[in-house]
Amino acid sequence: MIKHHPDDNLLVEFSAGTLAFAQSIAVSSHLHFCDHCRRRAERLNSIGANLMSDCDSVAVSEDLLDKVFSKLDQPGKTEVRVPKGRSKMPRVIDKLLTQQGQPRWQFLTPSLDMARLHTGQQEFEVALHRIKAGGSVAEHDHRGTEITLVLDGSFSDENGIYHEGDFLMRDAGQVHRPLASRDAPCICLSVVAAPVRMTGKFTRLLNPFLSFKPQ
């Protein structure tokens, strides 16, 4: 059961189309798993539609509709093929992986691999993180906001246990040490506004190698 969700402010920005694209990826992926938040988003969309209906109309060019339909009809632009073995993945993640190919996992520690997703973002880094079964991530804090969405498996930290679909947003200065469950690896989506900082005695040495590389 999903226990952690985006707050109202994030959902309002998402529905209004004003949320940063990288963070919208995380919210959209959460909606893939969460019926409760899909209903919340639908209500917000209905409110927005009613507000729009009360606005004054704006003249557009006569060929605008034809231009829109011509873009929709272009082959290969919007089609998303779901590769075998990733049917559980949210559609937006599948689309990113379809465009860039299979994840290129990069070794970070014996327990943690990372695969960056190319989103064209400058302010945020978007990546998949894979923690091996029973593995832990070194204690670290955040220099900026970080959204974590559990895509598969589960992990725990000092504040609780998080399962598939759980959505977590951490602010700068929060310290934690994720630990994957012993029965399966955990794969998460992360959207980070700044690099993390390792706080453990020995893992501080890793900090120069965890530089922020927006894609």
Side-chain angles (χ1 to χ4, degrees):
M1 180 179 178
I2 299 173
K3 296 182 179 179
H4 302 273
H5 311 270
D7 64 20
D8 290 338
N9 290 332
L10 275 180
L11 273 186
V12 167
E13 288 189 63
F14 176 77
S15 293
T18 58
L19 188 64
F21 175 60
Q23 293 180 324
S24 294
I25 292 171
V27 174
S28 177
S29 297
H30 173 73
L31 298 182
H32 169 86
F33 296 103
C34 184
D35 293 336
H36 169 68
C37 286
R38 277 201 302 275
R39 289 193 292 270
R40 291 169 64 198
E42 288 169 1
R43 287 195 294 270
L44 289 170
N45 289 340
S46 296
I47 293 172
N50 290 333
L51 291 173
M52 289 291 290
S53 66
D54 293 333
C55 294
D56 295 332
S57 59
V58 177
V60 297
S61 62
E62 295 182 358
D63 62 344
L64 177 62
L65 186 61
D66 291 335
K67 289 180 179 178
V68 171
F69 281 123
S70 67
K71 289 184 179 294
L72 292 176
D73 291 337
Q74 290 178 10
K77 294 294 184 181
T78 58
E79 182 180 4
V80 178
R81 295 184 177 87
V82 180
K84 184 177 181 181
R86 286 201 278 112
S87 58
K88 289 176 59 178
M89 202 70 76
R91 179 170 179 171
V92 63
I93 304 299
D94 265 322
K95 186 169 185 177
L96 288 171
L97 293 177
T98 298
Q99 292 171 347
Q100 72 180 50
Q102 291 296 320
R104 296 183 179 181
W105 294 104
Q106 177 184 359
F107 174 90
L108 292 183
T109 73
S111 297
L112 179 66
D113 298 319
M114 179 181 73
R116 289 188 174 90
L117 298 177
H118 304 299
T119 61
Q121 299 294 286
Q122 295 300 316
E123 183 181 356
F124 298 92
E125 178 180 76
V126 183
L128 301 176
H129 286 87
R130 180 175 61 192
I131 312 173
K132 76 174 186 180
S136 63
V137 177
E139 183 182 86
H140 61 277
D141 70 12
H142 303 87
R143 299 176 189 176
T145 58
E146 179 192 59
I147 294 175
T148 300
L149 175 70
V150 182
L151 296 174
D152 195 31
S154 64
F155 77 91
S156 62
D157 63 13
E158 299 82 354
N159 299 313
I161 301 175
Y162 313 103
H163 299 278
E164 182 182 282
D166 276 331
F167 182 103
L168 308 169
M169 188 164 187
R170 299 187 182 279
D171 296 320
Q174 291 185 297
V175 179
H176 70 139
R177 184 180 185 181
L179 173 67
S181 62
R182 293 186 177 276
D183 59 342
C186 179
I187 298 178
C188 296
L189 170 72
S190 69
V191 178
V192 186
V196 300
R197 181 175 68 89
M198 298 301 186
T199 57
K201 181 177 180 181
F202 298 106
T203 52
R204 288 194 186 101
L205 297 174
L206 289 173
N207 287 323
F209 303 100
L210 296 179
S211 58
F212 182 49
K213 296 179 180 179
Q215 301 294 318

